[in-house]
Amino acid sequence: MKRGDDVGRRALRPVSGRPVRQGRLARLTRPVRSLRPARERDVRSRSELLRIRGRSVAWVPPLLMLVGITLIDFNTAGEFQMITWVVLVPGIAAAICGVWGTAAFAVLALLTYLLADASYPNRYQSGLPDFILVGIGGVLAVLACVVRVRTERQMLHMRDVADTTRRTVLRPLPPDWGGLEHAGVYLASDVEARVGGDFYDIQPGPHGTRVLVGDVQGKGLAAVEAAAALLGTFREAAYHEADLTTVADRLEVRLARHRRHIRALGRADGDRFATAVLLGFPDDDPGVVDVIVFGHEPPLAVGPGGVRHLPPGEGLPIGLGELAADGPPPVTRVSLAAGETLLLTTDGVTEARDSDGLFYPLAAEVTDAVAADPRVAEPHRLVAFVRDGTLRHCKGRLADDTTVFAVRRPAGSPSGKGRSPS
C-alpha cells in the first residue's frame, strides 16, 4: 500500500484457495510438503529442468553437444582438434542434470576424449595435458552440481517455511465457511518470501459471521507479524463478542500492544498501522451487512443489477485510533439485494498503474463485465476477473501486495428479497 514503502510483486493464492503466482514469477506453487521423500522427489524434479510428458530430457542437450563435438573433430584435418571441447559437456550437464547424470557425462566425456585422441595415431594428438584438463573439468562440474542441488534443497526448505507462514496467516477457508460463499486471491509482492502484509479471514460464531480484510502498512516480515497479530485477535473477538464495535476496539488495542512490544525490542518498525474493512453478517437479519471501515477503500456491492459503492465510513486505520476524537469508528448497516456480492480489494488493485501511469478502473471494469454477463457477480468469477484485469492493466508489474476477496450469502438463503439497496 502507498502509505508505506513501495514494494515489488506477487505470489499468491488463487480462487481455489491454493497459492498461486502470476506473470513472470511462475505458474503454480505447491502446498507445504511434510514428508522427506516427497521433498526429495521435488528436488530431483527441479534439478532436471527439462521434462516432456513427465519424463526428464535434461540429458539430451549435453549428449547432443558431445556427439556434435566428436563428429566435428572426426571431420576436421590438420592440427585443428576440437575434441578438447568435450570439457564443456559436464559443465552443461551440471546446470540442468542431477549429480549422477553429471558424473556420468564427466566419465563419458573423458572416455570420448581418449578414444578420439587415440583413433588416428598419425594425426596431431593433444595428449596428456588436455586429458588432465578434461578430467579436472569433469570433477569440477560434479562438484558444482552438488552445490547447485544442495542450494535448491535449501531453497525448497525456505519455501516450505514461507508456505507454512502463509498458511498460518492466511489459513485456508472451507467452502461456504460461516454460511457464506467466498473466494480470495492473494498475490504477494515479495517473490521469494511469498508472504506480505495483506490479510483476510472469515470467522463464524454465535453472533453471526464476521469478515476481515485489511492491509498492513509497509512490507516484509514485520508487516506479516502485524497481520498475524490482528488475525489472531479477530478470530477470537469475532467469535466471542456480540457487538461489532467491540471487535473493532479489540483490534485497535491489539495493534497498539504489538507496537509497544516491537518498540521494547528496540526495532525501528514499531509504528505500523493497518487499513481494513470489518463486516458482520447477522443471523437475525440476513438481508443486511454491518460494515466498519478503518481508512480502507470501501467495498463494492456487485450484483446482476449493477455495481454500487458502500459508504466510505469515517474510521481511521487500525493503530491510529488514539487520534480519533469521536472514539471507535461507527457501524454502518447496509441492505443487500438478492445475489449481491461484496468485493473487497487492497491497494495492489486500486493503485495498479499501466504504462501511462493510470490507475486500474476497478468499478468501471466490473460494471461493464456484469452488464455483459451477470454471472460475473458470483464470488469466484468476480475474483478471477479482477485478478486478471489487474495483472493485465499493469502488465504483471504489481507495486504492492494484492488481495481480491469476494463474499456473499448463498443464493438460496433468504437474503432480504424485496429490500432496496441503500
Side-chain angles (χ1 to χ4, degrees):
M1 58 188 274
K2 288 296 180 182
R3 294 178 179 85
D5 304 325
D6 285 336
V7 284
R9 241 170 149 267
R10 55 221 175 255
L12 258 192
R13 178 184 285 260
V15 179
S16 63
R18 292 188 178 88
V20 69
R21 302 168 70 189
Q22 296 290 334
R24 299 177 309 199
L25 296 182
R27 293 300 301 168
L28 294 173
T29 55
R30 297 178 174 83
V32 178
R33 301 177 183 269
S34 58
L35 299 179
R36 184 174 180 83
R39 181 177 298 168
E40 294 298 334
R41 287 195 300 270
D42 197 24
V43 171
R44 286 197 295 271
S45 67
R46 287 173 59 84
S47 65
E48 298 172 346
L49 299 179
L50 302 179
R51 305 181 71 83
I52 296 178
R53 296 181 179 179
R55 295 179 178 274
S56 172
V57 292
W59 51 271
V60 173
L63 182 61
L64 291 177
M65 175 175 281
L66 181 65
V67 173
I69 291 173
T70 304
L71 291 177
I72 293 174
D73 180 76
F74 273 102
N75 286 277
T76 55
E79 295 185 357
F80 181 79
Q81 193 170 25
M82 192 177 177
I83 194 62
T84 309
W85 289 23
V86 295
V87 71
L88 300 176
V89 172
I92 299 298
I96 59 178
C97 297
V99 175
W100 289 110
T102 302
F105 275 109
V107 173
L108 189 59
L110 195 62
L111 293 177
T112 301
Y113 173 81
L114 287 175
L115 292 175
D117 197 49
S119 295
Y120 297 95
N122 297 326
R123 287 178 54 184
Y124 174 81
Q125 293 178 308
S126 299
L128 183 61
D130 286 347
F131 171 80
I132 295 176
L133 175 64
V134 174
I136 293 177
V139 172
L140 293 177
V142 172
L143 293 177
C145 186
V146 169
V147 172
R148 194 203 90 222
V149 171
R150 183 178 300 172
T151 302
E152 286 184 351
R153 186 176 291 112
Q154 292 173 347
M155 291 177 61
L156 284 174
H157 175 70
M158 295 305 298
R159 178 167 294 179
D160 282 354
V161 172
D163 284 340
T164 303
T165 303
R166 183 190 60 249
R167 291 169 64 89
T168 300
V169 177
L170 296 178
R171 62 180 180 177
L173 297 175
D176 299 327
W177 183 235
L180 300 176
E181 294 179 359
H182 62 85
V185 167
Y186 174 50
L187 307 175
S189 63
D190 191 329
V191 178
E192 298 301 328
R194 302 162 69 195
V195 289
D198 286 7
F199 56 91
Y200 62 82
D201 201 7
I202 298 176
Q203 181 58 59
H207 309 292
T209 301
R210 275 73 184 266
V211 177
L212 180 66
V213 177
D215 181 3
V216 174
Q217 171 262 333
K219 63 179 181 178
L221 293 179
V224 177
E225 285 183 280
L230 288 172
L231 282 174
T233 298
F234 166 74
R235 289 161 185 165
E236 292 301 312
Y239 181 87
H240 292 288
E241 302 295 344
D243 189 358
L244 196 64
T245 304
T246 305
V247 178
D249 186 62
R250 292 277 299 275
L251 293 172
E252 178 69 34
V253 171
R254 180 65 185 93
L255 190 55
R257 291 172 52 204
H258 176 74
R259 290 164 60 176
R260 287 197 297 269
H261 176 77
I262 295 300
R263 293 193 193 103
L265 292 175
R267 288 165 47 180
D269 56 345
D271 294 322
R272 295 187 182 275
F273 57 86
T275 64
V277 175
L278 178 61
L279 304 177
F281 292 85
D283 291 333
D284 57 354
D285 195 347
V288 301
V289 61
D290 295 326
V291 183
I292 298 179
V293 179
F294 298 92
H296 198 85
E297 188 75 17
L300 292 178
V302 182
V307 178
R308 61 192 176 97
H309 291 269
L310 268 60
E314 302 175 356
L316 294 176
I318 302 173
L320 303 180
E322 58 188 18
L323 303 178
D326 301 330
V331 178
T332 302
R333 175 156 288 193
V334 180
S335 297
L336 293 178
E340 276 194 314
T341 298
L342 294 180
L343 174 64
L344 303 100
T345 62
T346 58
D347 287 351
V349 174
T350 57
E351 297 186 1
R353 297 174 182 263
D354 62 9
S355 56
D356 296 326
L358 300 177
F359 292 119
Y360 176 59
L362 174 63
E365 290 274 336
V366 174
T367 300
D368 293 342
V370 172
D373 183 2
R375 295 179 302 170
V376 173
E378 299 172 4
H380 283 77
R381 294 176 182 269
L382 182 58
V383 164
F385 173 81
V386 175
R387 175 199 61 195
D388 295 343
T390 302
L391 292 171
R392 182 172 57 251
H393 181 77
C394 65
K395 294 182 173 56
R397 297 179 177 87
L398 294 174
D400 202 350
D401 293 343
T402 300
T403 294
V404 185
F405 192 78
V407 61
R408 74 176 181 183
R409 292 187 187 272
S413 67
S415 53
K417 293 181 180 180
R419 293 178 178 270
S420 59
S422 62

